[in-house]
Amino acid sequence: MDSEPLLQQQLDHHQSLAYSNHSSSKILTLPTVLTLGRVAAVPLLIFTFSVDSWWGRTATTSIFMAAAITDWLDGYIARRMRLCSAFGALLDPVADKLMVAATLVLLCSRPLNIAVFGQVPWLLNVPSIAIIGREITMSAVREWAASQNGKLLAAVAVNKLGKWKTATQMAALTILLATRDSSLGETGILVALGVIFLYLSAGLSVMSLVVYMEKIRKVL
């Protein structure tokens, strides 16, 4: 009679160990490796940006575009192949924010001279501060929400406005990096388009932050 509960306990223990081993083996899944690659690419991006030659500018743009593609790809693979992990979920937004923040700071370090806008030193500084400030704020808010209840965590889940913000942000930064290459010829219109996209992204960033805060206010 007493052997059945004991046997069940042993089975539960073995299943627990198997689950633990399975979870630990999923730390370095393919999506996580791609995410780690984005983190490792940040110092490389900084180096190539400082190289004042055609290959340096081309390499910088290529690195950022590869990072943007893998940002979508690692999420797709994780969902499609069921390779989601807690470590990957933690690292993915960190990698994105590092890449975007580094690119914005680098672009702000070299003011643009655009025929449409003229020489405006603060042209990229304003949207960059708005974007980086929003990301820092949302990181803190999501960390706080995770320590509270499920309703708060649901209130700060990524929405469509945040996705549009990311799309316009990636487009803007890709254009602004690519148009640094003088071999492309006259790029005034493209640069102006990149600046417009960046301001649009900054506006969406602020709007999405307001939406998140309003959702949190309703939950509280």
Side-chain angles (χ1 to χ4, degrees):
M1 295 288 293
D2 295 335
S3 62
E4 290 185 4
L6 179 60
L7 179 60
Q8 185 61 42
Q9 289 177 6
Q10 290 176 339
L11 287 172
D12 291 341
H13 177 66
H14 287 305
Q15 287 175 353
S16 178
L17 288 175
Y19 178 79
S20 176
N21 291 335
H22 181 62
S23 296
S24 63
S25 66
K26 292 180 67 176
I27 291 178
L28 285 181
T29 60
L30 177 57
T32 305
V33 171
L34 290 173
T35 304
L36 286 170
R38 292 208 305 279
V39 175
V42 172
L44 187 59
L45 179 89
I46 296 171
F47 169 74
T48 55
F49 188 90
S50 65
V51 178
D52 189 17
S53 67
W54 67 268
W55 71 264
R57 291 184 284 271
T58 302
T60 303
T61 307
S62 300
I63 291 169
F64 184 83
M65 290 179 66
I69 292 170
T70 56
D71 179 28
W72 169 82
L73 186 62
D74 61 9
Y76 175 79
I77 293 174
R79 292 187 298 271
R80 187 75 174 179
M81 301 178 66
R82 297 183 180 179
L83 294 175
C84 299
S85 67
F87 180 63
L90 171 68
L91 189 64
D92 184 69
V94 174
D96 298 340
K97 289 172 177 56
L98 282 174
M99 180 61 70
V100 170
T103 304
L104 287 170
V105 171
L106 290 171
L107 287 171
C108 288
S109 68
R110 296 187 181 179
L112 296 171
N113 187 5
I114 311 172
V116 178
F117 302 106
Q119 183 71 35
V120 185
W122 49 263
L123 188 63
L124 300 184
N125 296 4
V126 172
S128 297
I129 291 171
I131 291 170
I132 294 175
R134 183 266 188 194
E135 296 301 337
I136 293 173
T137 304
M138 281 308 304
S139 295
V141 169
R142 286 195 171 110
E143 184 177 354
W144 169 73
S147 66
Q148 301 300 311
N149 55 60
K151 289 183 178 180
L152 276 174
L153 197 57
V156 295
V158 177
N159 56 28
K160 288 185 178 180
L161 196 59
K163 292 180 179 179
W164 276 107
K165 179 268 301 181
T166 300
T168 54
Q169 184 175 276
M170 293 301 180
L173 295 180
T174 300
I175 292 171
L176 292 174
L177 287 173
T179 50
R180 292 173 60 247
D181 189 352
S182 57
S183 65
L184 295 176
E186 182 57 44
T187 57
I189 296 176
L190 278 177
V191 176
L193 182 63
V195 172
I196 291 170
F197 273 142
L198 191 62
Y199 272 86
L200 178 60
S201 176
L204 291 172
S205 295
V206 175
M207 285 177 60
S208 65
L209 179 61
V210 172
V211 170
Y212 286 131
M213 292 304 177
E214 179 62 20
K215 286 183 178 180
I216 290 173
R217 187 191 66 80
K218 290 180 179 179
V219 171
L220 295 177

